[in-house]
Amino acid sequence: MSSEAEGWNKVLWERQPFPDNYIHPHSFLSSLRRNPNFKPYTYWPLVLLCCAITQHLATIFTFLAVFVRLKERWLDARVLLWVSIVSFFGGYVLYEILSCSNPVRGAFTRTPCTSTPGPFIDWLHHSGSNTIKSSLLVFLALMGLSPVLRTLTAATSSDSIWALSACLFLLNALLADYSSMKPVPQERLTSVLSMNAAISSSVVLASRLPDDLAVFALVLFAVQLFALFPILRHRLQVTPQVAQILFTLTLCVLSFALTVPLSVSVAYIYAGISITVTFVAPGVLVWAQKYKNEIRGPWDVAVPRLN
Amino acid sequence: MASVFWPCDVARSGFYYGWDHPALCVAGVLEVEEDSQADALLQRVARSTEAQVLIKICGTPRILGRCVFSSFARSSYPQPDIEIFCGPSRACSAAYIYYHRHDENSMRFYALGSNGTRFFDLQDEVLRLSLKHDFSHTASSRSVSNTGQILVNQWNSAKSLEQFIEHEQRAQTTVQESNARFKETSKFTAINKKFQCTIDGIESSTNLLWRVVSFVFVYSREFSIVVQQIESRVRKLRRLLRGVQPVPNGDVRLRSSQYIEFYNTLWIILNDLIIGIALRQFLRQDRQAFLHLFKLAFEDKAVHKVRQILLWLDSWPAGLKLNTELSRFYSHSFMGLIALWNRGFRSVIPLIPMLLSTLELGSGFGVTMALAMMCDLVCVFMAHVQLCYLVSVTVYGHLLRLAGSLWNLFRGRRYNVLRNRTDPWDYDVDQLLLGTILFTLVAYLFPTALVYYILFATMRVLTILVYASLETTLAFMNYFPLFALMLRIKDPQRSPGGIYMRVEPTKGGNGVDVSVESHPLSLGVTFSQYVELWEQLAKHYHPFRLVWYVMSGRVLDTIPRTYIHSTT
């Protein structure tokens, strides 16, 4: 601390006896902060959040199992059709109940909830008619397009079909939206692309099926699982933890049970992947936290904090 | 020291007259004794009617001074000793700039730039009349605000002024000559007027037959090159009839350009006829060979080959697995179209010799008519390809546009018509779902549509290139400035494109001689119509443009009539 340094101020608009790039040795990089906003992950909440990925994988394998059954004619197309319709209604009712009990704040509230009797009329006015119209539209469009969809890739050989379908499902799993927050009002491009990949994959697989009704049932089921189910999954993230864990477990067990009669090795591979994703991967992430090294300082661009 | 513009061929002593505004420009020399006599003569001329036009563009001539020629005339250019009357009168030496005085009938003249000798390309009387009221249009020779232009006008009219003065001196009138000239041309004007009357009568008649005929004519002008060619030829002939009468006493530039244009049109038409008759002889001699060649080559290439290619495309071409249903639909419908056309063609085959003789007859009217007929024949004989092309380009174009709009859908954007841009937009789930389904359809059907489109687009591009070359040749034969080129070679002073001063040292002595010469018109100006035409054609048939249109699914068409004929 020489007497010279005492007169030094870290400003440039004052003529000082020091050169412009002088800095006091003690105060060099004193305002460097390491990991200032660091909130370390803990294991179990991370596992809970990873349940979304597990659920998605479960749906993929369920779909594949159903497809194989349809192809081998072990499953009747009409049964699948009824299952789809019933689960659509069930899922929609669940969705509405969840929205009512946890009203989503923000400008995009679609269903203002009233506890007065006659919620049916309210529901019909606000969003029910929309839902009925759009679901009917999709249903009829698929029914009309199923002969075309059956012959879209009929000429391709089966090997290419399996490969193409696998790639598309991989794409779907990678790009899917697993976030647990309220979804942005606008669908992001990646989540739309992942839905596209899943639907394309199901169309590609549907070309192996024998008749039109089976194609229609499969594509409808795919639309349910890959387009409508993720929306429900978002809503389910706000339920209490026990419910989520139970739901995940149910789905995994269901898909495992559907896959085992078809091929034991595939079932075991699937189980392995599931367990890795759910339990091992969060552990790795937690372990890797110690390598986190984020440097911030007053030289960075300021980040406004919006509450 | 004054600079004086002196004519090259004047070497007499006497009183010289000319203009003193904007510079001292001498028009000629009067050999009289008294300057009052010279003055009176000049005043009489200035008041006569023939000289009024001249005075309007040059200014009033005056007696400028007296000149004396020394007996030694050693240099090639006259070197008078002059005495200037107006201004500071001093018999001092002057710097002479020599210029040539051209006779009015020789049609040689000076011009400042090249716009004075531009071909008179206003073919419509109505347009020309309406231009009189257009105040933003700078008239070529009416405004005398340009000093350089005035000087040039003075040089051009010096000889005619001298002729007027000589006539006045001999006190003869020139009325008889102009009367004689007028009588000759009245015959052609009568023919022209009658023609104009018939056309007006047809256009305004309420007779149903004439209405139908004119409607058919106007409508078929868009499709058939032959009709366009006939129309333009008739228009040229009418202009010929109109142009036979010269503009009396007019601006020499106007007269010269009318003259050049008249003879140019005449030469083009004659050239056309000559080459056409030669072509006709050639066609006549090898008639059988042509017929045989045509019958053999055409049906094989245009019909059977196409059918073979369609069949090949339907059955996994080059190992590509196209969608069987769509491919089968495409190939069957196209083969049906071609078969339909083939049936028509077969019934027309016996008439082909007649077609060939029509072609010969047409080429008797000029090679342009033959080319026009060939253009039309190309169109007619490739009609099946055109039809199939239209179908496939529609499908392809729709697929491309659908894909573009689906891309917007997936990005979460929507096209805002009011602002002409894409804005972010929140789509419903069912819209996204339908978009997804459509996208899979488009993605899997696209290769099939693309393959068939490529086939017909290639054929269409080839047809268009053949058609374009025929049309280019036709346009060039119609508008070649042959006469202007020949004139330029033969007598460059009749088509001037600017002036320059030539400086050469005097023979035997000090000093220099400066004379004003004129540049001939540059080739660029002579061929300017050509260059414009070429630019239009190149812009429309440019290979890059064709490729871009093919790739983006737009319809390729031949050049519309208004593009070519608007430049002429």
Side-chain angles (χ1 to χ4, degrees):
Chain A
M1 306 263 200
S2 55
S3 55
E4 271 185 343
E6 303 226 358
W8 177 74
N9 285 332
K10 199 177 176 191
V11 290
L12 279 179
W13 41 264
E14 219 181 75
R15 275 198 187 275
Q16 309 184 64
F18 307 99
D20 278 345
N21 57 355
Y22 174 79
I23 193 153
H24 198 265
H26 279 267
S27 66
F28 180 61
L29 286 186
S30 64
S31 46
L32 180 82
R33 302 271 173 270
R34 291 184 74 234
N35 299 332
N37 303 321
F38 179 49
K39 284 191 277 285
Y41 292 127
T42 43
Y43 184 67
W44 288 112
L46 204 56
V47 168
L48 200 62
L49 287 174
C50 282
C51 283
I53 308 181
T54 320
Q55 288 170 9
H56 194 90
L57 285 178
T59 54
I60 291 182
F61 276 93
T62 315
F63 177 76
L64 286 176
V66 162
F67 163 70
V68 173
R69 284 188 163 79
L70 261 186
K71 189 159 102 66
E72 304 291 331
R73 295 181 201 256
W74 296 338
L75 177 67
D76 195 11
R78 279 179 283 253
V79 170
L80 184 60
L81 208 53
W82 280 115
V83 164
S84 296
I85 294 176
V86 163
S87 58
F88 169 70
F89 282 119
Y92 185 62
V93 162
L94 192 60
Y95 179 82
E96 286 294 321
I97 292 176
L98 284 175
S99 324
C100 266
S101 56
N102 303 324
V104 173
R105 263 185 294 262
F108 292 95
T109 313
R110 288 256 193 99
T111 59
C113 220
T114 58
S115 54
T116 61
F120 182 68
I121 309 291
D122 281 330
W123 167 81
L124 201 62
H125 277 291
H126 290 288
S127 72
S129 52
N130 258 350
T131 318
I132 290 179
K133 180 188 77 161
S134 41
S135 58
L136 205 60
L137 187 64
V138 171
F139 189 84
L140 289 176
L142 278 179
M143 189 153 70
L145 285 176
S146 59
V148 179
L149 292 174
R150 183 167 68 94
T151 54
L152 266 188
T153 42
T156 326
S157 66
S158 298
D159 298 331
S160 339
I161 296 277
W162 308 144
L164 191 58
S165 168
C167 287
L168 286 172
F169 272 129
L170 193 66
L171 200 67
N172 175 41
L174 283 175
L175 291 179
D177 189 13
Y178 299 118
S179 61
S180 63
M181 291 179 292
K182 159 179 83 105
V184 285
Q186 220 167 289
E187 294 272 349
R188 283 190 310 201
L189 180 62
T190 45
S191 53
V192 174
L193 280 183
S194 83
M195 177 175 69
N196 263 351
I199 304 283
S200 301
S201 172
S202 68
V203 165
V204 154
L205 287 177
S207 66
R208 302 292 110 181
L209 293 176
D211 60 4
D212 286 346
L213 190 62
V215 166
F216 174 50
L218 187 74
V219 178
L220 192 65
F221 189 58
V223 162
Q224 294 257 158
L225 276 185
F226 297 116
L228 301 179
F229 182 68
I231 305 175
L232 186 61
R233 197 173 63 214
H234 274 297
R235 281 301 158 98
L236 283 175
Q237 302 263 0
V238 296
T239 53
Q241 296 176 358
V242 181
Q244 284 184 37
I245 297 176
L246 218 59
F247 185 65
T248 316
L249 223 56
T250 324
L251 272 182
C252 289
V253 164
L254 177 70
S255 61
F256 191 72
L258 281 176
T259 322
V260 154
L262 298 176
S263 158
V264 182
S265 45
V266 168
Y268 279 125
I269 292 176
Y270 163 60
I273 293 178
S274 273
I275 291 176
T276 315
V277 161
T278 317
F279 294 110
V280 175
V284 171
L285 189 58
V286 168
W287 169 78
Q289 294 270 290
K290 69 176 188 211
Y291 291 113
K292 190 173 172 67
N293 185 13
E294 188 191 348
I295 298 178
R296 293 196 81 87
W299 51 82
D300 276 327
V301 176
V303 175
R305 222 186 273 174
L306 304 164
N307 283 348
Chain B
M1 180 105 159
S3 30
V4 177
F5 287 100
W6 193 272
C8 293
D9 48 339
V10 164
R12 302 176 287 180
S13 312
F15 288 96
Y16 63 90
Y17 56 92
W19 297 273
D20 57 354
H21 192 83
L24 278 175
C25 177
V26 175
V29 169
L30 281 175
E31 285 169 330
V32 290
E33 286 80 31
E34 295 289 314
D35 64 339
S36 53
Q37 274 182 333
D39 230 347
L41 195 56
L42 214 54
Q43 299 281 0
R44 276 214 310 271
V45 168
R47 265 173 300 184
S48 69
T49 44
E50 296 95 12
Q52 287 311 312
V53 177
L54 198 146
I55 290 178
K56 209 192 311 183
I57 58 175
C58 303
T60 327
R62 242 182 287 184
I63 299 288
L64 293 177
R66 196 212 311 242
C67 68
V68 168
F69 273 90
S70 48
S71 46
F72 291 127
R74 258 181 303 157
S75 61
S76 50
Y77 288 111
Q79 295 265 13
D81 304 315
I82 63 169
E83 178 188 320
I84 308 176
F85 283 172
C86 44
S89 98
R90 41 180 206 260
C92 57
S93 61
Y96 296 106
I97 305 178
Y98 298 101
Y99 69 95
H100 299 276
R101 279 191 312 184
H102 295 303
D103 190 26
E104 185 180 305
N105 294 329
S106 72
M107 295 243 247
R108 300 181 180 179
F109 57 100
Y110 286 107
L112 268 189
S114 51
N115 38 358
T117 50
R118 193 71 199 262
F119 283 156
F120 217 67
D121 50 2
L122 298 174
Q123 53 189 6
D124 242 358
E125 277 294 340
V126 178
L127 190 58
R128 214 189 302 184
L129 282 174
S130 71
L131 263 181
K132 265 205 291 207
H133 299 286
D134 181 8
F135 51 83
S136 60
H137 174 78
T138 48
S140 48
S141 65
R142 301 282 173 249
S143 63
V144 281
S145 52
N146 202 355
T147 53
Q149 189 58 47
I150 302 179
L151 257 186
V152 165
N153 289 341
Q154 288 170 356
W155 294 337
N156 289 338
S157 9
K159 190 84 180 184
S160 21
L161 184 63
E162 187 182 41
Q163 282 172 352
F164 284 148
I165 290 186
E166 278 176 11
H167 277 155
E168 198 63 36
Q169 267 187 328
R170 278 181 249 137
Q172 270 179 5
T173 57
T174 55
V175 178
Q176 300 158 344
E177 291 170 27
S178 61
N179 265 349
R181 230 182 298 152
F182 189 64
K183 276 210 197 71
E184 277 168 24
T185 60
S186 60
K187 192 168 46 164
F188 287 109
T189 36
I191 296 179
N192 198 22
K193 274 210 170 50
K194 215 181 341 173
F195 206 53
Q196 178 73 29
C197 279
T198 35
I199 289 190
D200 284 339
I202 290 179
E203 276 172 5
S204 61
S205 86
T206 49
N207 191 2
L208 186 65
L209 176 66
W210 285 122
R211 285 268 278 275
V212 164
V213 164
S214 65
F215 173 72
V216 162
F217 172 69
V218 165
Y219 190 62
S220 65
R221 226 177 10 191
E222 298 296 323
F223 293 109
S224 161
I225 300 279
V226 172
V227 174
Q228 289 177 24
Q229 181 61 29
I230 293 178
E231 187 202 359
S232 105
R233 190 43 64 87
V234 163
R235 215 180 261 170
K236 274 212 182 95
L237 286 174
R238 275 191 60 202
R239 237 194 296 168
L240 272 189
L241 282 179
R242 209 190 309 149
V244 166
Q245 78 207 42
V247 173
N249 262 351
D251 188 18
V252 66
R253 246 177 315 162
L254 206 69
R255 224 159 15 104
S256 163
S257 82
Q258 271 193 335
Y259 177 87
I260 291 179
E261 193 201 323
F262 175 75
Y263 276 103
N264 200 26
T265 321
L266 197 63
W267 272 47
I268 286 177
I269 294 181
L270 284 178
N271 245 357
D272 209 8
L273 284 177
I274 291 172
I275 301 183
I277 292 179
L279 186 69
R280 181 178 182 207
Q281 286 304 105
F282 170 62
L283 280 180
R284 251 213 195 141
Q285 278 167 4
D286 295 323
R287 205 190 164 93
Q288 288 307 321
F290 273 124
L291 279 175
H292 187 68
L293 197 70
F294 182 71
K295 273 198 200 131
L296 201 64
F298 179 71
E299 189 163 347
D300 176 51
K301 287 259 166 18
V303 178
H304 293 304
K305 260 286 174 7
V306 176
R307 197 177 292 174
Q308 266 180 344
I309 295 181
L310 280 175
L311 280 174
W312 175 68
L313 283 180
D314 195 17
S315 53
W316 291 8
L320 269 180
K321 292 184 186 155
L322 305 174
N323 189 13
T324 25
E325 269 72 22
L326 188 63
S327 166
R328 186 152 303 156
F329 166 73
Y330 258 137
S331 70
H332 279 216
S333 51
F334 284 148
M335 283 206 282
L337 274 175
I338 293 181
L340 200 70
W341 185 87
N342 202 19
R343 241 186 305 152
F345 180 66
R346 273 188 201 277
S347 61
V348 160
I349 275 189
L351 298 176
I352 290 202
M354 197 162 76
L355 203 67
L356 202 60
S357 31
T358 329
L359 194 65
E360 282 169 24
L361 182 67
S363 66
F365 282 115
V367 71
T368 46
M369 195 64 63
L371 279 176
M373 278 188 185
M374 273 200 275
C375 275
D376 277 344
L377 284 178
V378 162
C379 253
V380 165
F381 281 133
M382 287 287 158
H384 60 307
V385 170
Q386 167 77 349
L387 215 56
C388 298
Y389 169 73
L390 281 178
V391 168
S392 59
V393 81
T394 318
V395 173
Y396 177 79
H398 280 315
L399 276 181
L400 270 189
R401 253 158 277 173
L402 184 61
S405 128
L406 281 177
W407 171 242
N408 264 346
L409 172 75
F410 294 149
R411 272 192 318 161
R413 291 180 163 266
R414 191 176 70 159
Y415 180 66
N416 189 350
V417 190
L418 292 175
R419 301 252 182 197
N420 203 21
R421 64 177 184 207
T422 50
D423 283 337
W425 178 251
D426 185 18
Y427 284 105
D428 293 334
V429 176
D430 64 321
Q431 287 170 327
L432 287 174
L433 217 49
L434 278 176
T436 310
I437 296 169
L438 275 178
F439 174 71
T440 48
L441 279 177
V442 165
Y444 289 115
L445 291 179
F446 190 71
T448 314
L450 179 71
V451 160
Y452 281 94
Y453 173 67
I454 284 180
L455 169 68
F456 286 111
T458 321
M459 296 191 67
R460 175 73 177 156
V461 164
L462 288 174
T463 315
I464 284 241
L465 284 178
V466 165
Y467 191 86
S469 47
L470 279 177
E471 224 180 59
T472 316
T473 325
L474 183 67
F476 284 172
M477 294 251 26
N478 260 338
Y479 298 112
F480 196 72
L482 191 61
F483 187 74
L485 273 182
M486 304 267 319
L487 200 63
R488 189 168 180 271
I489 295 174
K490 170 194 166 229
D491 192 358
Q493 294 185 12
R494 275 168 74 167
S495 56
I499 55 177
Y500 67 98
M501 308 278 201
R502 190 170 63 190
V503 176
E504 51 191 17
T506 44
K507 285 195 225 163
N510 42 353
V512 289
D513 281 331
V514 182
S515 65
V516 178
E517 310 285 342
S518 76
H519 275 305
L521 259 187
S522 64
L523 280 174
V525 175
T526 322
F527 281 104
S528 65
Q529 262 188 342
Y530 243 54
V531 167
E532 270 178 44
L533 208 61
W534 169 251
E535 274 170 10
Q536 279 288 343
L537 282 169
K539 192 170 73 138
H540 196 85
Y541 291 124
H542 197 251
F544 286 169
R545 177 177 174 271
L546 290 181
V547 166
W548 169 244
Y549 267 42
V550 161
M551 282 192 346
S552 65
R554 277 184 248 213
V555 180
L556 287 172
D557 57 345
T558 56
I559 197 167
R561 176 183 155 267
T562 46
Y563 281 17
I564 293 198
H565 292 272
S566 68
T567 61
T568 59

